[in-house]
Amino acid sequence: METLEVTSVKTEDYNISISKELNAFLSDVQIYNMNLRGLHWNIKGRNFFLLHEKYEELYNEADEMVDEIAERILALGSSPLHTFEDYLANKNLEVAKQVSKGEEGVALVLGNLKHLLRKEREILEKAGENSDEATANLVSDFISNQEKHIWMLESFLS
């Protein structure tokens, strides 16, 4: 009878590397979250009620993402970033200021989501190459959700 040897494909180097990528992603999700809150607070115009509610839905969802990403970083043996100073130093998304027009805000959210989607796909690829199912599942769920949001926001702007 042949004995099957099971070895861990994930290494300490991989865990450090993917945690660094997840922390950069966490920083972008926090900026996205704050962008959404600013839009929620400052929206004006005929789509006020619709967009005010939608932005709140999206930032509540982003809050959950933040928690899940941070917990994954911890599970990998690293520490999640947790200060605004750290987020600003590690972000790739632009901070939005004083956006109050409906279509401009939706376009901003759409751009943020497309950026996050690109980062998620990069993380998914790296996690898949390293048999990191937990990270892959996490970002895969984010991808499905954000693809739907992108479709809906693009339809709104059409």
Side-chain angles (χ1 to χ4, degrees):
M1 181 171 193
E2 186 178 329
T3 305
L4 185 62
E5 185 177 317
V6 178
T7 59
S8 175
V9 176
K10 290 187 291 184
T11 65
E12 188 175 330
D13 287 342
Y14 167 76
N15 286 0
I16 292 168
S17 173
I18 198 71
S19 293
K20 185 176 180 180
E21 289 187 41
L22 286 168
N23 262 318
F25 179 59
L26 174 63
S27 296
D28 283 342
V29 173
Q30 286 285 41
I31 298 302
Y32 166 66
N33 191 358
M34 290 311 299
N35 285 346
L36 287 166
R37 288 178 184 278
L39 292 167
H40 173 77
W41 296 325
N42 293 299
I43 186 69
K44 292 179 174 44
R46 72 174 202 270
N47 287 315
F48 170 84
F49 291 106
L50 173 75
L51 292 175
H52 185 75
E53 186 176 312
K54 186 64 173 177
Y55 294 146
E56 183 174 2
E57 173 194 327
L58 292 172
Y59 73 64
N60 285 330
E61 183 180 285
D63 282 340
E64 290 178 28
M65 287 177 67
V66 164
D67 194 50
E68 291 175 19
I69 297 162
E71 288 176 354
R72 183 66 194 136
I73 293 166
L74 287 163
L76 289 162
S78 292
S79 297
L81 299 176
H82 62 278
T83 68
F84 287 111
E85 181 180 42
D86 287 338
Y87 298 143
L88 290 171
N90 289 281
K91 68 160 181 70
N92 289 302
L93 272 182
E94 293 299 318
V95 175
K97 294 181 184 179
Q98 303 303 321
V99 177
S100 62
K101 295 179 181 171
E103 287 189 9
E104 182 182 356
V106 172
L108 173 77
V109 173
L110 188 57
N112 284 188
L113 285 170
K114 287 180 178 182
H115 169 81
L116 294 176
L117 185 61
R118 282 190 299 276
K119 297 307 293 175
E120 290 158 352
R121 287 184 173 143
E122 290 171 11
I123 293 168
L124 178 63
E125 183 177 344
K126 185 172 186 171
E129 290 170 354
N130 288 276
S131 300
D132 179 1
E133 290 85 9
T135 301
N137 286 338
L138 177 69
V139 296
S140 185
D141 289 344
F142 294 158
I143 288 169
S144 296
N145 203 22
Q146 287 168 1
E147 284 177 341
K148 183 176 180 181
H149 289 315
I150 288 168
W151 159 64
M152 293 178 136
L153 293 172
E154 285 177 337
S155 294
F156 179 85
L157 290 175
S158 295

